[in-house]
Amino acid sequence: MLIRSASEDDLPGIVEIYNDAVDNTVAIWNNDHVDVNNRRAWLTEHQADGLPILVAVVDDRVAGYASLSHFRDFQGYAHTAENSIYVHPDFQGRGIASALMRSLIDDATGGHLHVIVAAIEGENAASIALHRKLGFVSAGTIPECGTKFGEWLDMHLMYLRLPAE
Ligand SMILES: CC(C)(COP(=O)(O)OP(=O)(O)OC[C@H]1O[C@@H](n2cnc3c(N)ncnc32)[C@H](O)[C@@H]1OP(=O)(O)O)[C@@H](O)C(=O)NCCC(=O)NCCS
């Protein structure tokens, strides 16, 4: 497995993973598919803002990706980012999310970021366990603040305070 910054060539693989999560999970609270143009704009914006998007590549396929995005727009949130982590169903359970998240945290450490927030659907046991394993702490659950597939969804918030270097 190779972990590196995402490039234009990775966008079709990222689109496939994203749209699968739209169709089959409550990890993304959205029903709309994205396309390569949409993800190109997302990649360009992240690159311009110095926010990482990492991919894990296995046998020349994008097996998963992780990113940091602005948490909220006001200036006071300048040192907080929100993470995303997605692994293609064919590659889950092999340590890929752990490796991606460790690289993401390493990238973020020693820079301007102080806290990473993870907003996780309340019943996503795999994601909650993954983040806990990496040092994230639970900050509480907002019940029924989202909806998908005709059900109310809870948001479980977790955070990681980055070590000062
Ligand atoms: C959650 C997700 C990213 C985990 O990816 P993964 O590559 O399978 O995870 P890893 O193999 O690195 O496992 C890391 C840890 O996650 C937890 N975990 C992974 N799969 C799990 C499962 N099915 N049930 C419970 N815990 C699980 C475990 O703590 C595991 O650590 P361990 O192997 O030391 O026990 C992946 O299942 C996924 O992409 N799901 C769909 C999208 C999603 O939910 N993204 C997160 C949105 S907040």
Side-chain angles (χ1 to χ4, degrees):
M1 180 200 337
L2 171 69
I3 294 193
R4 55 164 172 74
S5 292
S7 71
E8 173 88 20
D9 291 344
D10 301 316
L11 294 177
I14 289 173
V15 166
E16 184 186 335
I17 293 169
Y18 185 107
N19 289 339
D20 177 79
V22 166
D23 290 344
N24 298 308
T25 78
V26 288
I28 297 178
W29 294 4
N30 205 357
N31 305 311
D32 297 333
H33 281 187
V34 294
D35 59 17
V36 166
N37 285 338
N38 172 288
R39 290 301 85 182
R40 185 180 296 115
W42 167 77
L43 176 64
T44 305
E45 198 176 314
H46 275 68
Q47 288 170 338
D49 290 351
L51 290 165
I53 301 176
L54 303 179
V55 287
V57 181
V58 178
D59 297 334
D60 289 332
R61 280 181 72 191
V62 177
Y65 68 93
S67 62
L68 292 177
S69 300
H70 295 299
F71 176 54
R72 301 184 77 180
D73 277 341
F74 290 141
Q75 290 155 345
Y77 297 107
H79 302 285
T80 301
E82 182 171 347
N83 79 286
S84 294
I85 173 76
Y86 290 90
V87 173
H88 190 289
D90 290 352
F91 294 96
Q92 289 175 8
R94 298 191 200 177
I96 290 175
S98 306
L100 277 166
M101 284 297 300
R102 286 201 178 97
S103 292
L104 200 69
I105 292 165
D106 282 351
D107 278 9
T109 301
H112 74 287
L113 289 175
H114 185 51
V115 168
I116 300 176
V117 173
I120 305 170
E121 193 275 322
E123 294 190 1
N124 192 343
S127 186
I128 292 170
L130 164 72
H131 285 83
R132 185 171 295 129
K133 186 174 109 166
L134 293 164
F136 282 71
V137 176
S138 290
T141 298
I142 306 172
E144 300 187 359
C145 69
T147 180
K148 192 170 179 184
F149 303 142
E151 303 283 347
W152 290 118
L153 302 175
D154 301 343
M155 179 184 287
H156 186 72
L157 289 166
M158 301 184 81
Y159 68 91
L160 178 71
R161 206 171 306 165
L162 292 167
E165 282 213 327

